[in-house]
Amino acid sequence: MLDQEWQLIDQYLRKEFPTDQELWLDYLKFLSASEEEIFISVPNQIYKERVSEKYQPKIDDFMNNRFGKKYPLNVMVEEESEDDIVVLPTPPPSNPNRTYPPKKPQHLYHFLNSKYTFEQFVLGGNSQLAHAAALRISESPGKDYNPFFIYGGVGLGKTHLMQAIGHEIQSNDPVMAVHYATSEQFTNEYINSLQKGKVHAFRLKYRYADILLIDDIQFLEGKEGIQEELFHTFNMLKESGKQMVFTSDRPPRELKTITDRLLSRFASGLVADIKPPDLETRKAIIKKKAHQKDVGLSEEIIHFLANNITQNVRDLEAAVTKVKSIVELLNEKLTLKRVEIELHDVLNSYVGRKNVSVERVQKEVANYYNISYSDMKSKKRTSAIAKPRQIAVYLSKQLTNLSTTELGNEFGGRNHSTIISACQKIDREIQANESTQNDVEHLKIRLLRS
Ligand code: ADP
Ligand code: MG
């Protein structure tokens, strides 16, 4: 639940204890929330006592009113005990790349996925800049683009590219300490370290990384305490010229409730995005994945998959896995019909997620080709109208849940075989003609966007 809840609690406390604001309430930092409790951090023991004596009873009332139950605050003290405070040594100048302090036991780290390498990454126009920057960073980490911020939609290869940087640097120089963590892991580790009084170890690990990779930064929205921790980590690493890479589902400026000072740091190096791959790239990805999984696919099936799964590489990969299972489990020759039947859930959920209306497709396509909406639905067959209409039919078949008969009704009372042949015609044209392919791609992206 409760990510947004803390803000309400905070407002409530400020109303109840107006004179406490600057001295006390400003120092309570939200970390994270579960169904059972809310984690916050405070500067020292005195704050902790004040929270439990003064604020917790009010919070209990507040939450009781909202949810009919109490939510305990789990208050973590940031201050370290006397003997926990160690002056952090600087790396010996003779070997500036060497990790110092020495590497921790491996089990402390979140591992890189061995498949997420540059070799396994299929390059396309959708990821060109991000990929080129990633390569450059691997060659000279901490130099040109620091930090490197990658953003883009789900399943488009952000984690893959980020980890490829990690692999490459690690294999060029095995002593480099490459730390990868999702924002969630970073958060949980921090909370854990506070609970166990081991913040110092946490900070040693992250502030002395050679390469820091933090995935899915959007998870930190609203979590002030973690943002602050990351802010200090950032500054320390930046100062010592260590490379950082972040990913997010949005560009920095669209991240809400992340403090300005952290946002401006995210944006201070290079920001690059990854878009959904175009048709050719999707085909190349399918071929690569099929090769990896050792499954043979006909051009026809590759084309079918690439045409129907457009917004998410993870879905493409899942489709290849499913096709492989058809071959292995059903022990049967792979036909397009079979693929269509077995993948209906993937394909439907794909379309269902967006559920575009046929009217929208017709209007968008009519607009794109500068013909009228009524012509789109008419019986006219001049080529200036017929081609856009066929494209609209083709896109409606992919993006709406209507059957071919229903689509026939929507397009001027045509029968279902006309609809099927329109789809086949556009399918052929996409393969033969790059400008049609681009038009269709462009329209599809527009339709799926909102
Ligand atoms: P994101 O982090 O953007 O959500 P991932 O990096 O986890 O996406 O990618 C999802 C899956 O798709 C992974 O298995 C990844 O290997 C694969 N993938 C994404 N983009 C590519 C690409 N360009 N080439 C090869 N595989 C890719
Ligand atoms: Mg990811």
Side-chain angles (χ1 to χ4, degrees):
M1 64 142 211
L2 288 166
D3 270 18
Q4 292 85 27
E5 219 53 55
W6 172 254
Q7 280 179 21
L8 298 178
I9 295 171
D10 188 43
Q11 282 165 12
Y12 175 71
L13 291 176
R14 284 169 195 272
K15 227 171 50 222
E16 291 290 310
F17 305 100
T19 54
D20 274 15
Q21 303 217 19
E22 278 174 29
L23 196 54
W24 298 99
L25 294 170
D26 281 357
Y27 289 89
L28 310 190
K29 302 258 168 59
F30 175 60
L31 296 172
S32 178
S34 71
E35 292 300 325
E36 279 83 42
E37 57 191 338
I38 301 173
F39 295 90
I40 65 168
S41 67
V42 294
N44 57 43
Q45 197 59 34
I46 302 168
Y47 280 81
K48 184 170 176 156
E49 281 155 21
R50 191 170 181 104
V51 169
S52 67
E53 284 161 18
K54 207 168 163 187
Y55 304 142
Q56 183 77 57
K58 283 283 176 196
I59 294 173
D60 286 346
D61 288 348
F62 180 78
M63 296 306 261
N64 240 333
N65 276 336
R66 275 179 75 76
F67 297 106
K69 68 184 245 199
K70 295 176 183 172
Y71 282 93
L73 284 192
N74 200 329
V75 183
M76 247 80 61
V77 176
E78 284 170 19
E79 187 183 64
E80 298 172 359
S81 67
E82 284 295 319
D83 45 75
D84 203 19
I85 298 171
V86 184
V87 179
L88 300 177
T90 44
S94 58
N95 187 352
N97 283 339
R98 181 167 290 279
T99 311
Y100 195 86
K103 279 191 181 180
K104 296 276 181 319
Q106 287 293 319
H107 68 265
L108 285 177
Y109 297 99
H110 309 287
F111 289 109
L112 300 179
N113 184 326
S114 63
K115 286 192 259 163
Y116 291 174
T117 59
F118 280 115
E119 290 74 42
Q120 301 297 341
F121 191 84
V122 176
L123 179 58
N126 61 315
S127 58
Q128 220 165 6
L129 178 66
H131 181 266
L135 278 179
R136 170 72 71 81
I137 287 164
S138 310
E139 284 157 18
S140 51
K143 299 275 185 320
D144 297 327
Y145 306 118
N146 196 20
F148 178 35
F149 191 100
I150 312 171
Y151 73 90
V154 179
L156 294 182
K158 300 182 296 296
T159 301
H160 188 140
L161 202 54
M162 163 186 253
Q163 293 205 1
I165 298 174
H167 278 298
E168 191 68 16
I169 291 174
Q170 189 91 80
S171 75
N172 290 341
D173 184 353
V175 298
M176 293 285 251
V178 176
H179 291 350
Y180 167 85
T182 63
S183 297
E184 195 170 0
Q185 286 164 339
F186 184 82
T187 304
N188 292 342
E189 253 183 87
Y190 180 59
I191 292 173
N192 242 324
S193 75
L194 287 171
Q195 271 171 333
K196 295 188 178 135
K198 295 199 166 148
V199 197
H200 180 67
F202 174 89
R203 290 185 175 147
L204 268 189
K205 171 180 165 183
Y206 282 101
R207 297 184 186 182
Y208 278 81
D210 290 316
I211 311 291
L212 182 63
L213 313 171
I214 304 279
D215 211 353
D216 292 324
I217 280 295
Q218 72 275 4
F219 177 81
L220 298 187
E221 284 184 311
K223 302 195 172 83
E224 215 188 343
I226 308 292
Q227 288 178 29
E228 180 161 326
E229 183 61 29
L230 184 60
F231 175 75
H232 293 301
T233 307
F234 185 107
N235 290 342
M236 177 112 176
L237 290 173
K238 178 78 188 178
E239 217 160 90
S240 45
K242 305 298 187 185
Q243 181 70 47
M244 288 168 277
V245 185
F246 302 100
T247 73
S248 160
D249 64 356
R250 271 157 286 158
R253 69 189 132 75
E254 285 175 26
L255 289 166
K256 305 273 174 331
T257 58
I258 286 198
T259 56
D260 286 343
R261 58 182 191 171
L262 196 51
L263 282 186
S264 69
R265 276 163 182 77
F266 286 154
S268 66
L270 178 68
V271 178
D273 69 336
I274 304 188
K275 297 190 181 66
D278 59 22
L279 183 66
E280 284 315 308
T281 311
R282 296 200 296 277
K283 285 185 177 175
I285 291 172
I286 293 171
K287 286 179 187 165
K288 183 124 201 160
K289 302 288 176 192
H291 182 75
Q292 262 170 28
K293 295 178 202 288
D294 200 20
V295 39
L297 297 180
S298 67
E299 279 299 323
E300 186 188 34
I301 290 174
I302 292 171
H303 186 71
F304 173 79
L305 294 177
N307 242 317
N308 284 286
I309 303 174
T310 55
Q311 296 294 302
N312 183 329
V313 179
R314 194 173 287 123
D315 288 351
L316 277 180
E317 206 170 359
V320 175
T321 304
K322 183 119 190 205
V323 170
K324 181 179 161 84
S325 75
I326 298 174
V327 181
E328 285 182 350
L329 301 175
L330 301 183
N331 211 356
E332 152 177 330
K333 190 167 170 306
L334 204 54
T335 60
L336 183 58
K337 191 83 220 139
R338 183 44 106 180
V339 170
E340 239 175 297
I341 292 169
E342 296 300 337
L343 263 72
H344 71 98
D345 52 344
V346 183
L347 302 174
N348 280 345
S349 75
Y350 205 72
V351 171
R353 264 214 310 270
K354 294 295 178 181
N355 209 1
V356 182
S357 75
V358 77
E359 186 185 340
R360 243 201 90 210
V361 178
Q362 289 169 329
K363 286 190 169 153
E364 191 82 48
V365 177
N367 190 23
Y368 187 77
Y369 287 103
N370 240 332
I371 65 170
S372 72
Y373 175 55
S374 59
D375 278 348
M376 177 61 81
K377 294 170 71 95
S378 73
K379 297 242 185 235
K380 290 185 197 165
R381 295 172 65 173
T382 55
S383 74
I385 293 171
K387 168 124 187 245
R389 187 189 292 126
Q390 284 160 351
I391 287 180
V393 167
Y394 175 86
L395 286 168
S396 301
K397 177 83 175 57
Q398 286 192 2
L399 305 179
T400 72
N401 290 322
L402 300 191
S403 68
T404 46
T405 310
E406 289 165 328
L407 282 177
N409 294 335
E410 296 290 336
F411 283 88
R414 292 174 158 79
N415 68 23
H416 80 110
S417 63
T418 312
I419 298 299
I420 292 172
S421 73
C423 291
Q424 287 168 343
K425 176 145 184 286
I426 298 303
D427 219 7
R428 280 195 303 275
E429 266 206 45
I430 286 174
Q431 293 193 59
N433 179 339
E434 196 168 334
S435 88
T436 309
Q437 179 186 320
N438 287 339
D439 285 357
V440 171
E441 281 292 297
H442 180 85
L443 281 162
K444 196 186 276 184
I445 287 169
R446 277 236 281 244
L447 287 163
L448 286 172
R449 196 175 285 147
S450 49

